[in-house]
Amino acid sequence: MSEPTSRPLWQWSATDIARATHAGEITAGEVTEAVLARMDAVNPALNAVVESLAEEARAEAAALDASDAPKGPLHGVPVTIKVNVDQEGHATTNGVAALKDLIAPGDAPVVRNLKAAGALIIGRTNTPEFSFRADTDNPLYGRTYNPWGRHLSAGGSSGGAGSAVMAGIGPLAHGNDIGGSLRFPASANGAVTVKPGLGRVPAWNPSQTAERGLLAQSMSVQGLLARSAKDLDLSMPALIAPDARDPFHVPLPWRGASPVPPIKVAVTRDDFGFGLHPEVATAIDKAASALSDAGYDVTEVEPPLAFETGEEGYRTLLGEVKALMGPDIATHGSETVNAIFDAYFELFPPYEGPDLLRAMAKRSHYARAWSLFLQDYPLVLTPFLLKPFFNAGRDAEGLDGARDALGQAHWSFIMNFTGLPAGNLPTHIADLPEGPQTIGVQIAGQRWREDLIVDAMRAIEERIPPVCTTLWERMG
């Protein structure tokens, strides 16, 4: 939708900012000042942006406005970067105090691609320690709060990004996802995201001194949080531009071949025995109805090996984490994060030794089963979490807290273990005793067909508007 000219610039979408800067109707400097003023107004209460880059952004905006060079697709669009990714001259802390002086010698591919597209980086956003929690808090920067209220976690690990983008601190926010770190904060804050599939967005940190584990390379992806799927459609083509520093990047265009309509969508409400909360069921029903109204062929059908894929995938990942990251977590992590990992390891006993190697090998078994299923159903509509989002700090409240926050998130883990793309968007605002909150649903899809997922989310948004306006009215 086009932005009314009466609406303040910080509320404008990335799509309308780019259109207006290309047309010369507004300048990059004007947009930057509006968003920086919004950051000054709301960030002190949220702690979403932990490093302001106001002066750098002003200088870059002035340079863009003075340049006669062709304008990139994100010309003048403000964006934030998560503190676990390299941005030259800034610390890549990963939320860990011991890394506060780890200054990046160069830009990661995702940062380079955003800059090349004309985006303006206005700040760096918070993440939990080691970027491995579904909530965002750490001893270095403190807690990030949800703009909907303090009755809710801001999610993790891209909690700073989710809080910032929904509060109006830029229309785009970089994040990443190894088990749900884009989709958890999307669900918590009411943002829209698509977790790219394996190999889709180039990734590497110039500051790293060792290669990541094989599963981390295969399951972790870079992406964006936005307020609408339309803005993802605008920005994702820039994000997937190739970079030779990632030798496993897949250089495919954003748009694949158009499928023959109607596109089949498999809908599942499988709760794996944990129970599906009525508000989550409502969100699924609304999404399915919107897709059906848009001409999709929506069918109730269960995907293959769903619980097993999620369970085995997370036990396998935690086996690698325990072996490769365990000593650093024990040495440099807080008591809180070490206790959380103890709970993780109890909930999902890590595979070790030859069992870990066998579990890694079996990954292709699950990916193959899903690939065959997706031949018949190119899209799958699932719950994300099985109940409304949890309160801040819930994952640190012993085994029950960790189970509430992460122990029932199999629909998230499935997509990382198989390397499939998965979107998340809110389709319902639940009015709960603790306060209002958005309920997000997940739409997964065929490998390298993020475009089909984003198209489906756009179709839903035409029938269920994004929640940002409701949030801003609530924030006052």
Side-chain angles (χ1 to χ4, degrees), residues 87 116 143 174 227 264 281-282 301 312 324 339 350 395 411 450:
Q87 184 178 345
R143 171 167 294 284
H174 158 262
R227 298 190 287 259
K264 287 187 175 181
T282 296
V301 61
E312 294 296 290
L324 299 184
D395 63 336
W411 284 116
E450 291 83 357

Side-chain angles (χ1 to χ4, degrees), residues 36-234:
L36 291 177
R38 178 64 175 177
M39 181 166 70
D40 289 343
V42 300
N43 192 61
L46 298 175
N47 193 37
V49 176
V50 292
E51 183 184 1
S52 171
L53 302 181
E55 294 312 311
E56 289 185 28
R58 288 186 173 106
E60 289 294 327
L64 283 181
D65 288 335
S67 175
D68 293 327
K71 295 177 179 178
L74 299 179
H75 186 89
V77 175
V79 64
T80 56
I81 301 294
K82 189 176 174 181
V83 293
N84 67 352
V85 159
D86 278 0
Q87 184 178 345
E88 185 173 359
H90 299 277
T92 308
T93 66
N94 208 11
V96 178
L99 302 179
K100 65 182 178 63
D101 297 320
L102 180 64
I103 305 302
D107 288 337
V110 67
V111 175
R112 177 187 287 182
N113 286 350
L114 286 167
K115 286 181 176 179
L120 294 167
I121 300 173
I122 58 170
R124 290 174 63 79
T125 55
N126 205 10
T127 189
E129 292 171 87
F130 301 98
S131 297
F132 219 99
R133 284 179 66 181
D135 188 31
T136 297
D137 188 17
N138 61 68
L140 180 60
Y141 301 119
R143 171 167 294 284
T144 290
Y145 294 97
N146 192 313
W148 288 89
R150 297 200 173 187
H151 60 291
L152 283 171
S153 164
S157 64
S158 306
S163 175
V165 76
M166 290 308 296
I169 308 174
L172 298 174
H174 158 262
N176 30 51
D177 190 316
I178 195 171
S181 288
L182 284 164
R183 291 160 292 154
F184 273 96
S187 285
N189 299 282
V192 183
T193 193
V194 60
K195 178 197 82 68
L198 172 62
R200 200 66 161 117
V201 180
W204 183 66
N205 268 344
S207 67
Q208 68 186 60
T209 57
E211 299 297 331
R212 303 183 74 187
L214 186 59
L215 278 178
Q217 294 180 37
S218 302
M219 293 173 64
S220 177
V221 294
Q222 306 297 316
L224 293 168
L225 290 123
R227 298 190 287 259
S228 71
K230 186 176 183 179
D231 277 359
L232 293 176
D233 213 5
L234 169 76

Side-chain angles (χ1 to χ4, degrees), residues 12-46:
W12 283 30
S13 67
T15 301
D16 283 296
I17 289 171
R19 179 200 58 77
T21 56
H22 278 78
E25 297 170 1
I26 58 173
T27 66
E30 289 171 331
V31 178
T32 300
E33 290 301 333
V35 172
L36 291 177
R38 178 64 175 177
M39 181 166 70
D40 289 343
V42 300
N43 192 61
L46 298 175

